[in-house]
Amino acid sequence: MKVVLLPGDGIGPEVVAEAAKALVAAAPGVETAAQPIGGEALAATGEALPAVTLAACRAADGVLLGAVGSGDYSWTASNPEDGMFELRRALDVYANLRPFRDGEIDLLIVRELVGGMYFGDRGERPDGTVFDTCEYRPDQVDRLLRRGFELARSRHGRLTSVDKANVLATSRLWRERAIAMAASYPDVELDHLLVDTAAMRLVQAPADFDVIVTENTFGDILSDIAAALAGGLGVAASASLGDGGPGLFEPVHGTAPDIAGRGVANPTAAIRSVAMLLEYGLGMPAEAARLDAALDRALATVRTFDQGGVATTAEFGDAVVAALAEPLAAELADA
Ligand code: IPM
Ligand code: MG
């Protein structure tokens, strides 16, 4: 198994270093190799996603990304973020899975990742007006909704489709397709929420949700709300999956320029993303479960500063590796 590491910018390299340690400790046979992306790549090659990086990603079994997008790149035609968008689109990883767990909260946001306003036509008119368009084809909506239904079926059987169908044509299509597809999933309970109501309900009663399925921009915003409710951005992980081909695994957080380079970032989100890589990318669910458990044990005793502690990024990573080396309670019981 081969995994490409894309450390990127800001705290990306710091958290990916710890995530790579955890990956090798959890699954010693996996090979890793790092490639440039984002601002770092733009400065070196003039491209946010160099061709060698994309080729390595296509040839890999999974891709682990840190974060992209800090620094001043106003001197180039592209942004560091373009590297991430191009990669998402090139790998066609349309289903972005963002799980959130904390106490009573156990919800999964399934965000469409390669369509909508992020990828629609944009431009400027002679009068200075600028525009970003939101477009969705029925097949783009269907493949994402199908993921949502399947994931809901594998969890608690409840799917909330979030849209703005009282205003937007794309949302009306979204709702129609969801209702049509529900006939094939009689075991899944489907409901619909307008995105503004969904934002409020998430804050008021996050434990009421199981799986939320939604378009790109709504999913971006709702997942930050969910992260705020469930431990913060330091712990929120994600998996972006297509149909076959390597998946892209990355923390939900960005480059955090305010703390970059100080060795204090929380690598939990990146390490949790490694567990998702093991589960969804490499087909190693036992190793994924072991890493998740080791991470939970480390979190119980070692805290980075965002969690009110004093541990450095590397100390936290070391604690996860140490926890991985401890035999599980179940294994001790068997012995
Ligand atoms: C995310 C991030 C990105 C996005 C940014 C950095 C462009 O916020 O993955 O949620 O909006 O997709
Ligand atoms: Mg976001």
Side-chain angles (χ1 to χ4, degrees):
M1 292 286 183
K2 283 200 208 95
V3 171
V4 168
L5 307 175
L6 303 176
D9 309 316
I11 61 168
E14 297 165 51
V15 297
V16 167
E18 302 313 310
K21 275 189 340 203
L23 172 60
V24 170
V30 174
E31 283 172 36
T32 61
Q35 296 287 345
I37 193 169
E40 168 208 18
L42 203 49
T45 70
E47 291 186 329
L49 179 65
V52 283
T53 296
L54 178 57
C57 292
R58 285 194 201 279
D61 299 292
V63 179
L64 182 69
L65 174 70
V68 296
S70 60
D72 178 11
Y73 291 92
S74 49
W75 49 272
T76 66
S78 43
N79 300 309
E81 285 85 351
D82 292 343
M84 187 178 61
F85 296 136
E86 284 168 33
L87 184 62
R88 288 173 177 176
R89 184 154 57 178
L91 299 179
D92 199 25
V93 285
Y94 61 86
N96 180 228
L97 280 49
R98 297 183 162 185
F100 300 93
R101 263 179 232 107
D102 194 21
E104 301 272 277
I105 302 173
D106 181 7
L107 72 95
L108 175 68
I109 295 183
V110 183
R111 168 190 175 191
E112 204 289 327
L113 201 62
V114 297
M117 203 155 53
Y118 279 57
F119 293 93
D121 278 344
R122 63 189 50 173
E124 185 169 356
R125 300 205 183 90
D127 70 352
T129 305
V130 295
F131 55 90
D132 302 282
T133 55
C134 183
E135 293 181 28
Y136 272 108
R137 290 191 318 270
D139 62 300
Q140 261 182 313
V141 174
D142 283 350
R143 65 181 186 169
L144 197 265
L145 286 170
R146 193 165 294 114
R147 284 287 174 131
F149 276 104
E150 293 290 337
L151 286 159
R153 174 177 269 178
S154 74
R155 290 170 46 103
H156 303 291
R158 284 183 293 114
L159 182 65
T160 303
S161 173
V162 171
D163 61 39
K164 190 74 184 176
N166 53 346
V167 182
L168 303 175
T170 43
S171 281
R172 283 192 284 274
L173 172 70
W174 194 275
R175 195 173 281 218
E176 263 164 37
R177 306 306 292 189
I179 291 168
M181 196 172 289
S184 315
Y185 293 89
D187 51 330
V188 175
E189 191 189 315
L190 170 71
D191 65 351
H192 308 270
L193 278 183
L194 298 174
V195 63
D196 47 351
T197 311
M200 183 178 68
R201 290 273 304 280
L202 255 182
V203 172
Q204 287 178 332
D208 287 357
F209 291 92
D210 180 15
V211 180
I212 290 175
V213 66
T214 192
E215 66 91 49
N216 202 343
T217 306
F218 297 161
D220 179 41
I221 298 165
L222 293 181
S223 58
D224 272 29
I225 297 179
L229 297 167
L233 282 174
V235 303
S238 83
S240 305
L241 309 174
D243 293 320
L248 176 63
F249 302 84
E250 56 177 308
V252 173
H253 65 67
T255 53
D258 51 328
I259 59 163
R262 290 171 34 201
V264 298
N266 186 351
T268 299
I271 298 173
R272 197 72 85 186
S273 299
V274 170
M276 296 187 85
L277 161 72
L278 290 165
E279 180 175 357
Y280 295 103
L282 307 183
M284 302 170 89
E287 286 79 355
R290 263 195 92 116
L291 179 55
D292 269 330
L295 192 47
D296 290 341
R297 287 205 297 281
L299 281 167
T301 51
V302 183
R303 291 180 181 273
T304 45
F305 91 97
D306 59 312
Q307 306 290 316
V310 294
T312 65
T313 310
E315 283 165 354
F316 188 86
D318 290 342
V320 174
V321 172
L324 265 173
E326 291 162 15
L328 292 178
E331 289 168 12
L332 287 174
D334 285 348

